[in-house]
Amino acid sequence: MDVVDGKNVLLVCGSLRGRSLNRQVGEIAARTLREMDGNLRTRWLDYADMPYMNQDIEFPTPAAVARVRAEVMASDAVWFFSPEYNHGIPGVMKNLLDWLSRPLEPGSEDTAMKGRLTLFSCAGGGAKARYCAACLEETLAFLETDLVETMHVQVALDRQDYTTDVLTLSAEEERALRAQAQLLADRLAG
């Protein structure tokens, strides 16, 4: 994990697709953070190899889960970028959050997400992934994360975005993403 003045940001995409439009939003956010502070580094979380959450295999912790938890706990902030699948959080991201919500040790109340500084942005059709955003806000609050209080950026995707796999942000969306990045940078600066 890259470090910035002892701080680092982990980026998580709710789509595993190589040309994910939400990952493109995340790339813009990462670039924006670097512009705000040249020392600021980000890293994408690779979690495609995580098994389905199952208490029967919870302990000993599967290697992929232990690796992902370690990356999350080494971060000072986690920024989620997610599409909306069927009016909710994509299954792969929900599985990730379910694993991150579980105790680190049997009987413990400590989790990888508890107290972690978090924020999220969602990109979807004309509804701007509003149902996913509502689910993420509720889930991250339930996980007792330190959710950056803001109007979470929601990007409207149009037919051209979907057919070309190239994201185009409006000026308003760019300003909103920059404002969200500034809020995170300010929180990290203390």
Side-chain angles (χ1 to χ4, degrees):
M1 174 86 45
D2 294 324
V3 179
V4 106
D5 298 324
K7 308 284 184 185
N8 54 70
V9 179
L10 188 63
L11 308 174
V12 180
C13 187
S15 170
L16 302 180
R17 191 169 70 91
R19 301 274 304 149
S20 166
L21 295 165
N22 276 273
R23 187 173 183 108
Q24 292 176 52
V25 173
E27 293 293 345
I28 294 168
R31 191 169 48 249
T32 302
L33 285 170
R34 286 190 301 272
E35 289 169 4
M36 292 176 176
D37 181 342
N39 294 318
L40 188 61
R41 301 288 182 253
T42 60
R43 178 183 168 129
W44 283 99
L45 177 66
D46 178 6
Y47 65 99
D49 61 340
M50 290 189 60
Y52 292 118
M53 173 54 211
N54 178 343
Q55 285 181 296
D56 289 342
I57 64 167
E58 189 170 11
F59 300 108
T61 305
V65 174
R67 176 188 53 77
V68 164
R69 284 179 176 167
E71 286 192 59
V72 168
M73 292 186 302
S75 72
D76 295 291
V78 180
W79 194 340
F80 294 92
F81 299 89
S82 186
E84 178 175 293
Y85 291 177
N86 301 308
H87 280 206
I89 300 170
V92 294
M93 182 176 275
K94 183 63 170 78
N95 185 59
L96 168 69
L97 291 169
D98 288 344
W99 272 112
L100 294 175
S101 75
R102 301 299 299 162
L104 298 174
E105 301 291 335
S108 172
E109 292 185 13
D110 293 328
T111 72
M113 291 299 291
K114 196 172 193 175
R116 186 86 36 223
L117 184 62
T118 60
L119 66 163
F120 64 88
S121 303
C122 297
K128 302 180 181 181
R130 73 174 179 248
Y131 297 106
C132 177
C135 289
L136 269 174
E137 186 166 19
E138 184 176 336
T139 300
L140 293 172
F142 180 78
L143 296 182
E144 299 180 45
T145 69
D146 181 3
L147 188 58
V148 174
E149 292 300 323
T150 181
M151 180 57 136
H152 306 287
V153 174
Q154 291 173 247
V155 175
L157 300 175
D158 62 22
R159 185 178 312 257
Q160 182 176 343
D161 294 321
Y162 287 117
T163 57
T164 64
D165 277 343
V166 176
L167 177 71
T168 304
L169 293 180
S170 69
E172 180 182 333
E173 290 166 340
E174 286 181 20
R175 281 191 300 275
L177 196 59
R178 177 167 284 284
Q180 192 174 23
Q182 187 64 62
L183 284 170
L184 176 58
D186 291 347
R187 286 290 304 273
L188 288 171

